[in-house]
Amino acid sequence: MTATGNGPLTGVRVVELAGIGPGPFAAMLLADLGADVVRVDRPDGPGLHIDPRHDLTNRNKRSVIVDLKAADGPATVLDLADRADILLEGYRPGVAERLGIGPGACLARNPRLVYGRMTGWGQDGPLAQAAGHDLPYIAITGALGLTGPADGPPYAPANLLGDFAGGSLYLVIGVLAALQHARATGTGQVVDAAIVDGTAHLTAMLHGMLAAGAWQDRRAANLLDGGSPFYGTYETADGGHMAVGALEKRFYAEFLDRLGLADQAPPREDLTRWEELRTAIAARFKERTRAEWTAVFEGSDACVAPVLSLREAPAHPHLAARATFVEHGGLTQPAPAPRFSATPGAVRRPPARPGADAAEVARDWDVPGLDTSQEGPHR
């Protein structure tokens, strides 16, 4: 099969109203898959307080600067929305409406538009107007309570679980589903993507297990939350860690054999001896370094892998062979995902500099009112 184009979303136009976190990441994902994403930045600079050249969530996009508080600012955004398939915004509920660029105004200009709204709490409910960040969102869904040891506090899993998994990915699913509907019917709609909703949705399997009596509603007491001695992490002699996921019996048997405990470990079916088993496994892992254990388990079905840092991950042989990480513009970064046989995505452009693409966008989208005075070098 011959690969063509720059991704399956080639030809789809997206307007992203600048923010931080899940909105930009969702727009990046659409851009990675070929969409023409125009980010509307504010005059006061980028939302994420790092050098814009390093903000990978803005790769594959183009940027224009629009002052939404200026007299002509909202009209410019409406001009962009009129030419777009999707618009993404992450303001608190009601803010876009007060600015004159809410769903009503945008859909009046473009009835086919998909208007994606990214928030933590959602567009309604008692907390809709409250400030928030990833951790409180996942806290009330029960997801945060799954992490950490039984005798300690829950862990903060960066902002991967809430912002990006429960937020960005659900926003992308939502706007693409709505885009399919819009193309079939000619009617756009509003997508209310709340991080609390998406994160709660991610726990569906666990709620089923809880109802069936196969999951205990407390930390480190279950098969998949570190409660099991054959599903967790162990420290090595050099302070590194190995991740063990030997759930199935045949994988577990190979795990014990490679670990050198095949004839010594207590039976795993005896839950009363799990702590004894955990202690034996932990003691054995402490006898060698992470690199040594990696070599021991290489090529096996024991379901064991080294715990790598962000800087180490790109060099892992499997990820290197698959080009899971790529280098573009001097920055090592995750490659677009997932992969497509006929329309692969790609890193085509470096992170967009605020306002650097106004002339390009004005020409390509036929929006003459864009401010090109703040353009700068961006290649």
Side-chain angles (χ1 to χ4, degrees), residues 59-144:
R59 73 185 185 189
N60 285 338
K61 304 176 184 179
R62 297 188 287 183
S63 170
V64 300
I65 290 178
V66 177
D67 184 354
L68 292 174
K69 296 180 180 179
D72 60 347
T76 301
V77 170
L78 292 176
D79 284 344
L80 288 167
D82 189 28
R83 295 155 173 78
D85 300 290
I86 297 168
L87 182 146
L88 304 180
E89 63 94 354
Y91 303 134
R92 288 198 206 189
V95 171
E97 285 85 347
R98 290 196 294 273
L99 290 170
I101 54 173
C106 288
L107 286 165
R109 287 285 299 271
N110 180 1
R112 301 172 63 93
L113 181 70
V114 173
Y115 194 104
R117 316 197 80 168
M118 180 79 263
T119 60
W121 305 116
Q123 295 298 311
D124 52 38
L127 292 173
Q129 292 297 330
H133 277 294
D134 177 283
L135 214 57
Y137 304 145
I138 67 175
I140 70 165
T141 67
L144 181 61

Side-chain angles (χ1 to χ4, degrees), residues 164-250:
F164 298 145
S168 304
L169 298 187
Y170 279 85
L171 176 61
V172 168
I173 291 169
V175 297
L176 291 182
L179 179 63
Q180 167 68 16
H181 175 265
R183 289 185 166 179
T185 66
T187 303
Q189 61 182 301
V190 180
V191 178
D192 175 3
I195 293 172
V196 291
D197 294 347
T199 305
H201 194 260
L202 291 170
T203 66
M205 183 188 79
L206 300 184
H207 274 279
M209 295 176 70
L210 185 66
W215 190 272
Q216 299 182 64
D217 199 17
R218 54 193 178 91
R219 284 193 300 282
N222 301 283
L223 193 64
L224 302 175
D225 65 354
S228 161
F230 42 89
Y231 195 89
T233 58
Y234 290 92
E235 187 176 359
T236 57
D238 57 345
H241 291 84
M242 300 294 290
V244 177
L247 293 176
E248 292 82 0
K249 288 187 176 180
R250 65 189 183 93

Side-chain angles (χ1 to χ4, degrees), residues 30-78:
L30 295 172
D32 282 355
L33 299 184
D36 180 5
V37 176
V38 172
R39 177 178 168 95
V40 179
D41 277 300
R42 298 186 296 269
D44 55 356
L48 191 61
H49 299 298
I50 64 172
D51 186 329
R53 294 175 299 176
H54 297 153
D55 186 355
L56 294 176
T57 65
N58 284 332
R59 73 185 185 189
N60 285 338
K61 304 176 184 179
R62 297 188 287 183
S63 170
V64 300
I65 290 178
V66 177
D67 184 354
L68 292 174
K69 296 180 180 179
D72 60 347
T76 301
V77 170
L78 292 176

Side-chain angles (χ1 to χ4, degrees), residues 335-372:
R339 304 179 186 211
F340 298 83
S341 61
T343 55
V347 180
R348 306 179 306 279
R349 301 170 68 103
R353 311 282 186 90
D357 308 292
E360 245 184 49
V361 174
R363 179 196 68 218
D364 296 347
W365 285 40
D366 190 23
V367 183
L370 290 173
D371 178 11
T372 61

